[in-house]
Amino acid sequence: MSASAVPPRRLAGIDIGTLTCRLLIADLSPQAPLKELHSERRILRLGEGVDQTKRLSPAAMDRVIQCLREWKAVIETYRVDACTAVATSAVRDAGNRDEFIGRVKRDIGIDVEIITGEEEARRTLLGIRSGLPPGVTDMLALDIGGGSTEFILDRPGQAPLVRSIDIGVVRLCERVLRSDPPSSAEIQQARDWVRSETEAATAAMLRSSTAQFVGTAGTVTALAAMAQKLPSYEPARIHNYTLRLDTVRELEEILLGRKKADRVGLPGLEKSREEVIAAGAIIIRTVMETLGMESVLVSDLGLREGVLINLMSRSQMFRA
């Protein structure tokens, strides 16, 4: 059977992140773009306290497992052909990760794959590439997560170059930004840490002037929504939006000048992101300044989509 004759397959993917859990159900085929059928995301902070304790807390595990229980019921209504779930930084770092994975398998019936930072970056790249505008070839992608941040240099004909650093929005809040709002000393400490790690991580990456700088995940998409003062999250207005460095600086100043309770209700800022968005703004601003980037192309596609594309490829569903 030719690729053009292969019917689409319905797949479900779950991304269990340090801060946010995401669900995507979509139809995929080799001859057409991914067709989203259902998506959800919830800020559950599975990685809360992991930086200090190296353990997932019972309360955090309970939150995620309850969410997965609800999502399992949703997935079943769509009669999917296959389902996959991945866990990232928080679960990688936790000494009791096997307990969590075991509970998910026993209570929900879902197998969770713990992926490395490099594998997370590879799948994120699959998702980003699936939605880039025409003409983008060389790309430097930035994926800011809750526990880690990935840099991905991707050029046609060459293997992607991936570097992962152990700085994410949750980790930065818990380790450095402890005051509300953060003190000047804390902000400077955070900038210095991000700058140092960014310089070390990107030292081996060729700073090609032709590489398109692309950002994905919650920090960058939230700032894009805030820049446009969107009353609700609109993927079509966020995806492929150009976020300028001067806008990031303005938003960072607004966020750092308020307590987290006073950030509630800011146009474009989704509920439960009030604390970590300030850390995210520090990260993206410092990275852009360190790399000399005046703007970043925002991708609403990333790991969640890449997980499904990888599942399609791995299962060899569409081979003739």
Side-chain angles (χ1 to χ4, degrees):
M1 183 183 294
S2 67
S4 61
V6 175
R9 294 298 181 98
R10 185 158 296 178
L11 306 177
I14 298 171
D15 164 19
I16 303 173
T18 301
L19 176 68
T20 308
C21 289
R22 297 175 173 87
L23 166 67
L24 177 62
I25 302 172
D27 285 341
L28 284 84
S29 65
Q31 68 272 12
L34 176 151
K35 180 183 178 183
E36 179 182 308
L37 301 174
H38 180 89
S39 67
E40 291 187 44
R41 63 181 183 181
R42 299 188 193 178
I43 296 177
L44 299 175
R45 294 194 71 142
L46 177 61
E48 193 170 45
V50 169
D51 190 54
Q52 283 80 32
T53 66
K54 302 304 179 189
R55 294 183 66 81
L56 301 167
S57 74
M61 289 192 288
D62 288 345
R63 290 195 296 269
V64 172
I65 287 172
Q66 177 56 36
C67 173
L68 295 179
R69 182 175 288 110
E70 295 170 16
W71 283 354
K72 178 72 178 299
V74 172
I75 290 168
E76 288 174 349
T77 67
Y78 280 87
R79 302 179 182 276
V80 302
D81 296 299
C83 174
T84 187
V86 301
T88 57
S89 176
V91 181
R92 282 198 299 264
D93 294 346
N96 60 340
R97 56 185 172 272
D98 290 342
E99 175 191 348
F100 173 69
I101 298 299
R103 282 189 61 188
V104 174
K105 175 63 174 177
R106 183 179 66 251
D107 297 351
I108 314 299
I110 293 176
D111 290 306
V112 178
E113 179 188 4
I114 303 173
I115 56 176
T116 65
E118 288 70 24
E119 180 61 16
E120 179 180 350
R122 187 187 71 82
R123 296 191 200 183
T124 297
L125 181 60
L126 291 175
I128 293 172
R129 278 288 184 196
S130 72
L132 285 175
V136 176
T137 54
D138 291 12
M139 175 181 68
L140 177 60
L142 177 73
D143 178 9
I144 302 172
S148 66
T149 292
E150 280 70 47
F151 297 89
I152 315 161
L153 180 62
D154 187 44
R155 295 162 293 183
Q158 301 181 47
L161 186 58
V162 176
R163 294 293 181 268
S164 181
I165 63 175
D166 284 334
I167 301 178
V169 295
V170 174
R171 198 184 302 271
L172 192 59
C173 284
E174 291 183 352
R175 192 178 293 189
V176 180
L177 305 175
R178 294 174 176 168
S179 302
D180 185 24
S183 68
S184 297
E186 289 172 342
I187 294 169
Q188 188 58 53
Q189 183 183 351
R191 290 198 204 289
D192 290 345
W193 187 25
V194 174
R195 184 180 300 107
S196 173
E197 291 293 319
T198 297
E199 289 174 344
T202 60
M205 294 183 173
L206 296 177
R207 305 276 181 83
S208 171
S209 60
T210 61
Q212 172 67 59
F213 188 48
V214 180
T216 187
T219 287
V220 179
T221 57
L223 292 175
M226 293 181 70
Q228 300 176 80
K229 295 182 169 58
L230 300 181
S232 60
Y233 196 86
E234 297 182 50
R237 292 185 62 181
I238 291 168
H239 186 58
N240 288 335
Y241 175 80
T242 298
L243 183 63
R244 297 196 57 78
L245 176 57
D246 55 3
T247 304
V248 172
R249 288 173 176 147
E250 291 170 6
L251 292 171
E252 184 203 52
E253 183 177 358
I254 292 170
L255 292 165
L256 291 174
R258 299 178 181 225
K259 292 184 177 182
K260 59 185 179 184
D262 296 328
R263 298 172 192 147
V264 176
L266 284 173
L269 183 58
E270 69 180 307
K271 192 176 184 302
S272 301
R273 200 176 282 277
E274 297 87 12
E275 178 182 5
V276 297
I277 189 60
I282 289 174
I283 294 172
I284 183 64
R285 173 183 173 171
T286 305
V287 167
M288 291 178 76
E289 290 178 343
T290 302
L291 299 181
M293 299 294 183
E294 290 298 320
S295 65
V296 57
L297 183 68
V298 178
S299 175
D300 192 48
L301 309 182
L303 179 59
R304 188 174 61 170
E305 290 75 17
V307 162
L308 290 191
I309 295 168
N310 182 74
L311 176 61
M312 177 180 72
S313 173
R314 188 175 61 191
S315 60
Q316 300 179 323
M317 287 179 177
F318 303 112
R319 285 198 170 183

